[in-house]
Amino acid sequence: MISRTLVLIKPDGVKRALSGEIIRRFERVGLKIIGMKMVWVDREFSKQHYSAHVGKQFYNNLEKYLTMGPVIAMVLEGINAVELARKIVGGTEPNKSAPGTIRGDYAHHTFSYTDKKGKSTMNLIHASGNEEEAKQEIALWFAPEELHDYKRSDDDFVI
Ligand code: UDP
Ligand code: MG
């Protein structure tokens, strides 16, 4: 039941100085940060991370987006962490993401607007879509020794 998920604060989140706001939302729900680093990935790495999307109509702009600046990568652990992180992040298209979610509260792009502008839909966050994706993505972004097992002071109450 305790699982892990990969979350990225994408370059728009870092450049807009929203990293603290975003990390806070995951921490306060009880998700434990067990790995974290800042990385500026290249186009090759983007193709590995978004291998399922390579070749799609939006992929080129997505690659430009992911590589336009550094990202903050983290591995979060908790009860059904994958599903929980996706709930906190909100739906993919910010204009439709529920208020109270990160995407719903801090962005409002629509697919049609960004398509017309020739850029990616900027939605601040990546979070693994399912358990399988999470396992692959954690292995891609983090070496085993970069993940840490420790006790949080509120573990007895939230886990
Ligand atoms: N994206 C886009 N246009 C689309 C679909 C997706 O620009 O029509 C971008 C958007 O930044 C999204 C990312 O590609 O977060 C990956 O798409 P996915 O469907 O996996 O959405 P997510 O899992 O991030 O919610
Ligand atoms: Mg996805």
Side-chain angles (χ1 to χ4, degrees), residues 9-159:
I9 304 177
K10 289 171 166 176
D12 53 336
V14 174
K15 285 169 182 275
R16 290 176 59 195
L18 289 171
S19 302
E21 276 298 314
I22 289 168
I23 292 164
R24 179 177 156 264
R25 288 176 175 229
F26 293 113
E27 273 192 314
R28 71 182 185 183
V29 81
L31 282 164
K32 188 185 289 183
I33 302 166
I34 61 161
M36 179 180 273
K37 59 185 173 185
M38 180 177 266
V39 198
W40 194 328
V41 301
D42 61 16
R43 291 186 162 227
E44 201 40 55
F45 194 91
S46 170
K47 287 187 181 73
Q48 287 181 265
H49 173 69
Y50 278 130
S51 57
H53 294 320
V54 175
K56 291 185 184 168
Q57 145 272 338
F58 62 86
Y59 179 73
N60 276 346
N61 287 328
L62 176 58
E63 187 177 272
K64 274 187 212 145
Y65 172 31
L66 191 69
T67 59
M68 72 194 286
V71 306
I72 292 175
M74 50 193 152
V75 178
L76 303 178
E77 189 178 82
I79 304 160
N80 297 336
V82 173
E83 206 182 329
L84 177 59
R86 295 284 292 195
K87 180 182 82 170
I88 292 166
V89 167
T92 306
E93 188 176 21
N95 207 290
K96 295 203 179 80
S97 314
T101 66
I102 295 168
R103 288 167 169 171
D105 284 353
Y106 296 110
H108 76 285
H109 268 171
T110 63
F111 291 145
S112 63
Y113 176 81
T114 52
D115 276 354
K116 247 182 229 141
K117 287 269 182 186
K119 58 184 184 184
S120 187
T121 302
M122 294 192 189
N123 53 12
L124 300 159
I125 297 280
H126 167 80
S128 306
N130 55 56
E131 298 286 336
E132 192 51 38
E133 220 175 84
K135 283 202 173 67
Q136 288 168 4
E137 292 176 355
I138 291 168
L140 176 67
W141 286 82
F142 286 87
E145 63 270 21
E146 291 177 310
L147 302 178
H148 306 286
D149 192 15
Y150 65 98
K151 193 166 160 51
R152 236 169 79 161
S153 64
D154 59 355
D155 270 1
D156 290 344
F157 312 104
V158 295
I159 299 263

